[in-house]
Amino acid sequence: MLAEIINPYYLQVLSFILINIILGVSIYITLSTGQLSLGHAGFMSIGAYTSAILTLNYDFPLVVGVILGALLAGIVGILIGIPTLRLQGVYLAIATLGFGEVVRVLFINWESLTQGAIGISSIPHFGRELVTGLRDTGFTADMIGIRNNQLISLLVFIILLVITVLLITFFVRQNHSRVGRAFAAIKMDENAAEAMGINITYYKVLAFAQGAMVAGFAGALYAHVTAYISPSDFAYHRAVEILIFAVFGGSEVIWGPIFGATFLTAMPELLREVSEYRYMIYGIILVAMMAFRPQGLIDHEMIYKIKSRKKKKKKVEDDKKERNRHGVGS
Amino acid sequence: MILEQLINGLTLGSIYAIVALGYTLVFGVLGIINMAHGEIFMFGAFMGVVITHTLQLPLALAFVVAIAVTALLGLFLELLALRPLRGKKGVSHLAPLISTIGVSIFLENLAHHFFGAGNRPFNTSFSEISVQIGSVTIYAVQLVIFAIAVLLMVGLSFWLSKTKAGKALRACAENLEAASLLGVNTKKMIMMTVVIASAMGGIAGILVGMAFNSVTPQMGLTMGLKGLAIIILGGMGSVRGAMAGGLILGLSETMIVVFGESGYRDAIAFIAIIVILLVRPQGLFGQAAPEARR
């Protein structure tokens, strides 16, 4: 029965949606202190290349490779973040854009390590590694009545889902903590935040490094899900794509980029004719969003409305129950 | 050999300088970075290909068509992507940047669609003409490019400093509201700025097509980013800075190719961006602190 439901293709699309959600979250964190980074494709490529090279050339375990990839991206984020945070708005965006391009040129030219523009292929695949591991313990796909490739995509999807949910939970909780409130204060007004005793530099670097680390993490996952990476995967287009998740979905609340990533990744899959014009549509979306709804589709107000409606509904139901009880009682 | 490379560097630098002028004009008046400028430049180059190669018409016509098309693109850019954001409450300073990024990605993929992803030749018999002076070969194209660059630079400086329209433009750059109170039609001036900047991008596009004989949809991005590097290097909004920055970048890129590290050629511009922003954020020729702008 399970064998008929599981479609590896759909699962793969869902897996890409999850990776894009992680990327959307990464740009959201940086944006939550009011900094626009166009270097997230660069951080993503650092994570992807680090993990791919470590696991492929030096036989590191997959998990260690992914973690080290994310950490290295985070460290580079700190190194880039500390000096560039002196820059404001537009200048920061350009400096990070320059950073992304430098990383890409470096990966193209460092052929002994990265195989240049050809890219790295046959990177250890998440699902396949896991299935081999499971086979050693005696568990095979036949035991639950599905084919091997179905099990692979299913496992990849489940792992990514767990990771994504954990990440989102972490950042939702962080938003309600001291750190999250400091981020929000800095975004609103830096000078006022400083006057209130918030260490601006610390929190800005923290947000930037967190964003870089999450982007690197997503990159490492991407490398092990597609099993092939090349510098062109992390070009300017990717940076814009990551940005558009937040611009379209909304950068005020974490649900914005999550929605943006989901919708924009699913759209070309659902509408085949559209996928050819994908980047043109992205361009139109960027212009239109800025003109009509610069805060993105989902903003604070919308979340507030949904929440209050839920409360109202609950209240109405409670009232009904109450009345019924009274009715029965009398 | 080294002299020839120097000439190549000057040619490249002149083209960079023209591209950078487009950025500088828009930034000087509007205080925004027009990320779509590189793509408008690329459309100018493709107009050259269409006219000279596909339709086999003379080069002069290519200039006219390229200027017309890019000016039109500039007009659309202003009307659709920039004007709706102006003076709106609650729009962050990043909005125009994001909006022009949208235009850039749209135009690039439009070109992909129309002209294909491949390399397009730009054949004019003109690019074969050369003069031999001693051991050095100078192509006529290089002279033309250099002449046009200098002409544009001088013309622009003259226009900005001496004519009435130029004065109005500088008034707008100083303070948009005050200029409008003093009777400057700011809407018209802004539109004119964007259109002129775009048309200069178109001219640069044709020159690049003539000099390198290849045009691709991706060239807008590379050239655009280099233009950005130059205005940061030379100082935002400074005409002289754009010229100097362009020449510096062109020469240093040619030199790095001479020394055999051609793979890292494209990285120079971006490393320059990062270093300059950290060491001297106002650029070589800039004066005011960048944050002081709206």
Side-chain angles (χ1 to χ4, degrees):
Chain A
M1 193 204 91
L2 214 50
E4 285 138 37
I5 302 170
I6 300 168
N7 181 331
Y9 172 71
Y10 289 135
L11 281 175
Q12 199 185 3
V13 173
L14 287 174
S15 302
F16 280 129
I17 289 179
L18 290 173
I19 289 179
N20 283 340
I21 286 177
I22 299 177
L23 285 171
V25 169
S26 80
I27 192 101
Y28 162 77
I29 303 162
T30 325
L31 274 171
S32 66
T33 55
Q35 313 172 71
L36 175 64
S37 158
L38 292 172
H40 270 57
F43 292 123
M44 189 187 169
S45 70
I46 290 176
Y49 269 94
T50 310
S51 186
I53 290 166
L54 286 180
T55 49
L56 198 63
N57 297 0
Y58 301 98
D59 288 324
F60 273 62
L62 236 163
V63 179
V64 179
V66 171
I67 290 171
L68 286 179
L71 279 181
L72 186 67
I75 290 168
V76 174
I78 295 175
L79 292 180
I80 292 288
I82 291 172
T84 47
L85 290 177
R86 283 171 42 199
L87 307 170
Q88 306 247 316
V90 176
Y91 292 86
L92 179 72
I94 293 172
T96 49
L97 181 64
F99 161 75
E101 287 297 306
V102 169
V103 171
R104 196 171 63 86
V105 172
L106 188 72
F107 281 142
I108 291 177
N109 285 293
W110 197 350
E111 283 183 5
S112 58
L113 194 65
T114 63
Q115 297 172 29
I118 308 159
I120 301 179
S121 52
S122 62
I123 300 166
H125 187 274
F126 248 129
R128 257 174 252 137
E129 294 283 308
L130 261 176
V131 168
T132 335
L134 282 176
R135 200 177 292 141
D136 294 340
T137 65
F139 179 86
T140 55
D142 306 332
M143 288 168 72
I144 48 171
I146 54 176
R147 286 193 307 279
N148 212 18
N149 65 337
Q150 286 175 320
L151 182 64
I152 289 173
S153 5
L154 189 64
L155 279 175
V156 169
F157 173 68
I158 290 171
I159 290 171
L160 285 177
L161 188 66
V162 171
I163 290 172
T164 314
V165 169
L166 285 178
L167 256 178
I168 293 172
T169 320
F170 175 80
F171 284 110
V172 167
R173 306 231 355 125
Q174 180 178 280
N175 271 350
H176 293 296
S177 73
R178 194 184 174 83
V179 178
R181 295 193 201 290
F183 284 178
I186 292 172
K187 186 182 186 181
M188 280 287 180
D189 190 331
E190 259 179 49
N191 297 334
E194 196 165 24
M196 296 306 289
I198 294 171
N199 184 345
I200 293 191
T201 319
Y202 170 75
Y203 282 110
K204 276 170 103 177
V205 173
L206 181 69
F208 197 79
Q210 275 186 342
M213 198 163 114
V214 174
F217 184 60
L221 293 175
Y222 175 82
H224 292 293
V225 168
T226 55
Y228 167 74
I229 50 172
S230 74
S232 61
D233 288 339
F234 309 106
Y236 177 66
H237 276 111
R238 176 74 68 175
V240 174
E241 196 178 16
I242 298 173
L243 174 66
I244 201 177
F245 294 151
V247 169
F248 179 68
S251 52
E252 282 185 6
V253 286
I254 196 166
W255 308 110
I258 293 172
F259 167 75
T262 312
F263 182 82
L264 291 172
T265 321
M267 179 189 72
E269 302 297 334
L270 296 176
L271 300 165
R272 276 276 151 220
E273 311 86 67
V274 168
S275 67
E276 196 183 336
Y277 301 98
R278 181 172 175 180
Y279 282 106
M280 279 198 224
I281 294 171
Y282 279 3
I284 295 169
I285 287 177
L286 280 176
V287 174
M289 290 308 289
M290 281 303 116
F292 299 116
R293 206 176 159 83
Q295 76 273 39
L297 282 182
I298 300 176
D299 58 357
H300 278 311
E301 211 175 315
M302 191 166 170
I303 296 286
Y304 179 74
K305 264 186 197 156
I306 292 172
K307 268 189 188 156
S308 62
R309 191 176 298 161
K310 241 186 219 163
K311 261 184 211 152
K312 228 182 257 165
K313 221 185 230 170
K314 214 178 158 202
K315 208 178 168 198
V316 170
E317 271 168 24
D318 284 351
D319 286 353
K320 235 185 231 165
K321 268 184 210 158
E322 197 92 332
R323 229 174 290 138
N324 284 349
R325 207 183 300 142
H326 283 299
V328 172
S330 62
Chain B
M1 167 68 184
I2 202 86
L3 207 60
E4 236 164 67
Q5 291 298 344
L6 217 61
I7 293 169
N8 283 341
L10 276 179
T11 317
L12 192 64
S14 315
I15 294 173
Y16 286 165
I18 301 177
V19 174
L21 270 184
Y23 279 106
T24 278
L25 258 185
V26 173
F27 185 86
V29 175
L30 294 171
I32 58 174
I33 288 173
N34 175 12
M35 296 291 284
H37 190 66
E39 275 62 31
I40 290 175
F41 151 87
M42 177 263 300
F43 258 82
F46 266 113
M47 285 307 122
V49 171
V50 168
I51 298 292
T52 58
H53 186 74
T54 316
L55 301 175
Q56 301 285 346
L57 292 168
L59 190 63
L61 191 70
F63 270 101
V64 176
V65 172
I67 290 172
V69 168
T70 48
L72 205 65
L73 285 176
L75 188 68
F76 281 132
L77 175 77
E78 153 69 9
L79 290 180
L80 297 176
L82 298 179
R83 185 168 289 180
L85 306 181
R86 203 166 298 134
K88 218 167 133 185
K89 277 246 159 63
V91 171
S92 84
H93 58 291
L94 294 174
L97 184 79
I98 295 175
S99 187
T100 50
I101 288 177
V103 175
S104 81
I105 207 158
F106 177 79
L107 285 180
E108 186 197 333
N109 286 280
L110 194 70
H112 239 275
H113 222 74
F114 277 153
F115 309 115
N119 225 335
R120 295 287 292 267
F122 193 107
N123 72 336
T124 56
S125 51
F126 185 67
S127 45
E128 307 295 315
I129 306 167
S130 63
V131 198
Q132 190 89 21
I133 304 171
S135 61
V136 183
T137 323
I138 300 175
Y139 287 93
V141 177
Q142 292 178 321
L143 291 177
V144 168
I145 288 172
F146 195 69
I148 289 181
V150 172
L151 214 70
L152 277 177
M153 217 71 62
V154 173
L156 195 68
S157 297
F158 177 79
W159 185 67
L160 278 177
S161 58
K162 295 284 186 279
T163 64
K164 200 173 174 193
K167 274 180 192 155
L169 199 76
R170 279 187 297 143
C172 290
E174 202 76 38
N175 189 327
L176 215 54
E177 253 170 54
S180 120
L181 281 175
L182 291 172
V184 176
N185 186 348
T186 49
K187 243 184 192 171
K188 199 178 113 194
M189 287 320 292
I190 289 172
M191 197 192 288
M192 204 155 94
T193 312
V194 179
V195 166
I196 289 176
S198 303
M200 287 174 85
I203 296 174
I206 298 242
L207 295 182
V208 165
M210 276 173 15
F212 302 112
N213 206 14
S214 87
V215 177
T216 66
Q218 287 82 30
M219 71 193 276
L221 180 63
T222 329
M223 193 55 94
L225 292 176
K226 281 178 187 168
L228 270 182
I230 291 162
I231 56 163
I232 288 174
L233 189 70
M236 298 285 216
S238 153
V239 173
R240 255 185 320 152
M243 183 80 188
L247 290 179
I248 292 173
L249 186 68
L251 285 171
S252 46
E253 279 193 7
T254 329
M255 284 307 133
I256 208 164
V257 175
V258 173
F259 291 119
E261 290 287 346
S262 53
Y264 287 101
R265 201 183 116 167
D266 287 343
I268 295 181
F270 310 119
I271 293 170
I273 291 184
I274 295 171
V275 171
I276 283 285
L277 280 178
L278 297 181
V279 181
R280 196 179 153 83
Q282 72 271 39
L284 296 179
F285 290 81
Q287 304 115 0
E291 294 96 289
R293 281 222 116 84
R294 265 168 303 141

